[in-house]
């Protein structure tokens, strides 16, 4: 499934200042868009020109964050050191000093190869010098672009674990063990794959992500900067385009899109519908009040990391709920840093065009804009392999297999879906059909009946969004429907 790509590279500040801060109008396409794509907002068109190649702005300017990529080696028998043995079933790195980082993951060469085994890390806290115990990384990052999508044809994609948030750290140790393989030192014959052991993927690397220091322009606590444009860092061309995609909802350069009451939301939806950005509804619209949303500018997105342009799908018929599997050891004041880390990991480490999720939610119930293209628009994400078309992905920061999701996060899911699905006529308690683009649960081309608010596991064979969050989705559906006035 392909979306409509709108280039955003090469925007000048002068052009940006001339952009109208009114709801985007839609330019009628001359003919059917490729892959049945949505019309493109006129403001996005006027803020777009040039190439769609990945911007080099982050290399040329002092923007936040960095990534250390360290090759893993086979572990020697009975020791924590590395050897050059080519086929060891356990690889890793011994304890070592590194530059500061806060998020860690492991990647490998082939994005279509699974890592069957265990990945564990321990890290040293920069402030105290204390080493953590061993922590497991989720070995399958189940979020992905659809088969055949342009994003998967970039040649930069890698297989990966889910990333783990560990806080400010300056030391690391890692071990990756193939499933069914003996640990180093367990046998007298050394470290090799025993019967039934799966080989490890080639090209294993440890990715250490520094999300950058927080500041008003780099994603400090969002409540501090309500509604005010972030002035500490000038808007670059890609940042102008990302902000302009929300024209009519917030001023250019704003760090948040403010909440509206239901009456104001209905009036806004009428204007958006007239511009062609939402589906037609009956005389009485069912839509929840627009929630407050922290923009990409608000959480400090380095717009030079992502590929230029936006990819849209036709509409938003369903929402898939995820957890990020990054752990629960973050404070709400750190949420923007966690998101910047995930964004950098998705783009620089995994090779995606942008962060995969359309929205993110923290444990305090704050909602964040994810993939660029405008929060009211049908932006195609890379969140539910096989079902990224005509859907949106919402990821709650945390891991919810055994940990219960906070009530504030559930309310945020309900508020966000009541509004965004309401723009497109979706009933949160209803069902809808989506056509599979191919995955591990449904064959390509199959029309699948799904809940309008589904968990990731409903469209893909995965544990996501975790057992505890998944079991609360019924509550989120009922609450969202109530917000819509149903």
């Amino acid at each position: 499934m392909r979306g409509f790509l709108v280039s955003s590279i090469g925007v000048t500040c002068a052009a940006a200042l001339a952009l109208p801060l009114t709801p985007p109008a839609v330019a009628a396409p001359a003919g059917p868009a490729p892959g049945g794509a949505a019309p493109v907002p006129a403001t996005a068109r006027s803020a777009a020109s040039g190439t769609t190649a990945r911007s080099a702005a982050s290399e040329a300017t002092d923007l936040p964050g960095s990534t250390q990529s360290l090759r893993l080696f086979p572990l020697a028998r009975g020791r924590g050191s590395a050897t050059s043995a080519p086929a060891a079933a356990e690889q890793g790195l011994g304890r070592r000093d590194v530059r500061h980082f806060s998020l860690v993951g492991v990647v490998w060469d082939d994005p279509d190869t699974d890592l069957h085994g265990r990945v564990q890390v321990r890290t040293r806290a920069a402030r105290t010098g204390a080493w953590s115990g061993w922590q497991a990384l989720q070995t399958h990052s189940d979020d992905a672009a659809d088969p055949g999508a342009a994003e998967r044809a970039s040649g930069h994609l890698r297989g990966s674990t889910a990333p783990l948030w560990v806080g400010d750290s300056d030391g690391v140790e890692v071990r990756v063990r193939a499933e069914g393989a003996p640990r180093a030192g367990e046998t007298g014959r050394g470290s090799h794959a025993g019967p039934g052991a799966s080989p490890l993927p080639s090209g294993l690397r440890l990715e250490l992500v520094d999300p950058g220091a927080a500041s008003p322009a780099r994603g400090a606590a969002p409540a501090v900067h309500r509604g005010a444009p972030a002035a500490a860092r000038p808007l670059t061309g890609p940042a102008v385009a990302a902000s302009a995609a929300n024209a009519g909802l917030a001023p250019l350069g704003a760090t948040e899109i403010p909440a509206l009451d239901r009456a104001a939301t209905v009036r806004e939806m009428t204007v958006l519908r007239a511009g062609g950005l939402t589906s037609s509804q009956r005389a009485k619209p069912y839509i929840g009040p627009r929630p407050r949303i922290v923009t990409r500018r608000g959480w400090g997105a380095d717009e030079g990391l992502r590929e230029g342009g936006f990819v849209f799908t036709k509409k938003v018929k369903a929402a898939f709920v995820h957890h990020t599997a990054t752990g629960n050891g973050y404070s709400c004041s750190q949420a923007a840093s966690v998101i910047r880390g995930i964004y950098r990991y998705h783009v620089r480490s995994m090779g995606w065009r942008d962060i995969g999720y359309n929205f993110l939610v923290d444990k305090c119930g704050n909602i964040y804009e994810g993939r660029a293209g405008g929060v009211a628009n049908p932006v195609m994400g890379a969140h539910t392999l096989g079902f990224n078309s005509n859907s949106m992905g919402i990821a709650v920061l945390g891991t919810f297999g055994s940990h219960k999701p906070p009530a504030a996060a559930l309310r945020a899911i309900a508020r966000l879906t009541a509004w965004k699905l309401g723009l497109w006529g979706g009933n949160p308690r209803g069902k809808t059909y989506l056509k599979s683009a191919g995955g591990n649960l449904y064959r390509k081309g199959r029309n699948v009946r799904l809940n309008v608010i589904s968990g990731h596991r409903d469209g893909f064979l995965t544990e996501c969004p975790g057992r505890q969050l998944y079991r609360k989705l019924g509550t989120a559906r009922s609450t969202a429907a109530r917000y819509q006035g149903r």
Side-chain angles (χ1 to χ4, degrees):
M1 296 183 183
R2 294 170 295 179
F4 194 101
L5 180 63
V6 185
S7 172
S8 64
I9 303 299
V11 185
T12 66
C13 290
L17 293 174
L19 292 172
L21 296 181
T22 55
V26 174
V40 181
T43 50
R45 285 187 187 275
S46 63
S49 63
T51 177
T52 61
R54 193 180 307 278
S55 170
S58 60
E59 300 297 332
T61 59
D62 182 21
L63 292 172
S66 64
T67 302
Q68 303 170 71
S69 186
L70 307 176
R71 180 184 171 191
L72 303 191
F73 296 93
L75 295 178
R77 175 168 55 90
R79 299 179 294 136
S81 59
T83 75
S84 59
E90 190 170 8
Q91 296 187 32
L93 291 173
R95 288 191 181 189
R96 62 178 59 200
D97 299 335
V98 292
R99 298 193 309 274
H100 284 237
F101 69 97
S102 296
L103 184 132
V104 58
V106 170
V107 301
W108 52 92
D109 292 340
D110 186 353
D112 296 317
T113 297
D114 291 332
L115 193 161
H116 298 285
R118 176 180 296 183
V119 179
Q120 294 177 301
V121 298
R122 52 184 172 189
T123 57
R124 184 179 62 204
R127 186 174 63 85
T128 66
W131 282 88
S132 71
W134 286 106
Q135 301 182 79
L137 275 62
Q138 180 178 298
T139 55
H140 302 290
S141 180
D142 299 320
D143 314 310
D146 288 341
E151 187 163 355
R152 292 182 63 88
S154 67
H156 304 298
L157 295 187
R158 300 179 184 90
S160 69
T161 67
L164 178 69
W165 177 261
V166 294
D168 188 18
S169 305
D170 60 7
V172 69
E173 182 177 8
V174 61
R175 61 191 186 196
V176 182
R177 181 188 174 204
E179 190 174 68
R183 292 186 57 179
E186 282 185 353
T187 74
R189 292 174 292 178
S191 184
H192 64 278
S198 302
L200 291 174
S202 63
L204 287 170
R205 302 188 73 87
L206 179 68
E207 301 288 292
L208 305 175
V209 178
D210 171 15
S215 72
R218 296 183 179 184
V224 177
H225 310 287
R226 286 186 175 273
R233 192 171 77 236
L235 286 170
T236 64
V240 168
S243 185
N246 290 315
L249 308 183
L252 192 69
T255 59
E256 71 167 41
I257 296 167
L260 294 180
D261 62 25
R262 191 166 185 274
T265 303
V266 171
R267 290 194 297 270
E268 177 183 75
M269 186 183 72
T270 302
V271 176
L272 292 173
R273 185 193 303 162
L277 290 183
T278 71
S279 65
S280 298
Q281 293 197 32
R282 294 184 176 89
K284 179 183 179 182
Y286 289 103
I287 186 170
R290 188 181 75 194
R292 172 178 171 266
I293 302 172
V294 179
T295 66
R296 290 172 65 90
R297 179 81 167 163
W299 56 259
D302 176 357
E303 299 295 353
L305 284 179
R306 65 175 176 85
E307 287 184 4
F310 312 127
V311 178
F312 297 105
T313 182
K314 283 184 177 180
K315 60 185 72 174
V316 179
K317 297 172 63 178
F320 286 98
V321 177
H322 305 249
H323 67 172
T324 58
T326 47
N328 304 306
Y330 71 94
S331 65
C332 290
S333 64
Q334 293 175 313
S337 295
V338 177
I339 295 170
R340 290 197 305 275
I342 295 170
Y343 171 45
R344 180 172 283 273
Y345 186 73
H346 280 184
V347 176
R348 283 294 172 88
S349 300
M350 297 172 65
W352 293 0
R353 73 183 320 271
D354 194 351
I355 193 169
Y357 310 114
N358 297 104
F359 297 92
L360 299 99
V361 172
D362 69 23
K363 63 174 67 175
C364 291
N366 295 303
I367 300 169
Y368 303 83
E369 178 184 13
R371 181 163 285 208
V375 297
N377 295 331
V379 178
M380 180 179 279
H383 49 84
T384 305
L385 193 150
F387 294 100
N388 289 304
S389 188
N390 296 338
S391 71
M392 68 174 181
I394 304 168
V396 182
L397 298 180
T399 305
F400 301 106
S402 57
H403 188 88
K404 292 182 179 179
L410 293 172
R411 285 194 297 271
I413 293 170
R415 289 186 183 279
L416 176 58
T417 53
W419 171 69
K420 184 64 180 277
L421 292 171
L423 290 175
W424 300 90
N427 180 353
R429 280 197 293 236
K431 303 276 189 179
T432 191
Y433 281 92
L434 293 178
K435 181 177 289 188
S436 173
N440 64 4
L441 199 55
Y442 298 104
R443 60 174 174 79
K444 182 177 180 179
R446 178 173 172 180
N447 282 317
V448 182
R449 190 168 185 257
L450 295 162
N451 287 310
V452 168
I453 300 178
S454 287
H456 186 184
R457 64 174 64 182
D458 295 323
F460 192 85
L461 188 60
T462 174
E463 293 297 314
C464 184
R467 179 172 54 87
Q468 294 291 347
L469 178 53
Y470 186 76
R471 64 191 292 266
K472 291 290 187 180
L473 293 186
T475 300
R477 294 181 190 110
S478 299
T479 305
R482 188 170 69 250
Y483 287 145
Q484 285 190 345
R486 294 183 186 270

